[in-house]
Amino acid sequence: MADGTAHPPVLGAEIDHYWLVQRMAKATGVDLVRAMDAGVLDHSHWADIVTRCRGCQWAEGCDHWLATPSEDTRALPEPCLNRDRLAGLKDKLRDI
C-alpha cells in the first residue's frame, strides 16, 4: 500500500466457497464424507480448505469450470488453491 500498511486479503462469502469446494470435490471424485468417516479429514482441515478457497482469485473461473458439463470425474484444475489438498485426500482414500 502507498501508506506502508498491509491490508488482509478480502475473502469471499463463506457459504459460496463452502459449496464451491463441495462441487469441486464431487467433480473430481474426492469423497469428502468418506474422508471424514475414515479420519483423513477433520473439521479443522475442512475449515482450512474452505478458507483457502475464500481467498482464491480464480473463484469465477472455478464456477465456470464446475458449470461445464462432464460425464466423468475430472482432474483437479491447475489454478485451484486446494488442488494439492484435495488430491492428497483422494490419494489417502485410495490407500484405505
Side-chain angles (χ1 to χ4, degrees):
M1 288 281 141
D3 64 3
T5 58
H7 297 281
V10 176
L11 298 178
E14 190 171 350
I15 192 71
D16 294 341
H17 290 270
Y18 168 88
W19 288 112
L20 280 175
V21 174
Q22 289 280 358
R23 291 171 55 209
M24 180 63 73
K26 184 175 181 178
T28 59
V30 180
D31 188 336
L32 296 172
V33 172
R34 185 167 169 242
M36 288 288 258
D37 289 346
V40 297
L41 176 64
D42 61 23
H43 293 286
S44 176
H45 188 196
W46 171 246
D48 290 344
I49 290 171
V50 172
T51 300
R52 189 168 176 87
C53 180
R54 291 177 65 203
C56 183
Q57 300 301 307
W58 189 63
E60 282 185 37
C62 176
D63 196 41
H64 177 72
W65 186 87
L66 289 165
T68 304
S70 177
E71 296 286 325
D72 298 317
T73 58
R74 300 179 265 179
L76 285 149
E78 290 289 330
C80 179
L81 289 183
N82 283 309
R83 183 175 197 265
D84 292 340
R85 290 175 181 206
L86 292 173
L89 288 173
K90 192 172 186 177
D91 289 344
K92 286 179 183 176
L93 290 171
R94 195 176 0 243
D95 295 339
I96 294 175

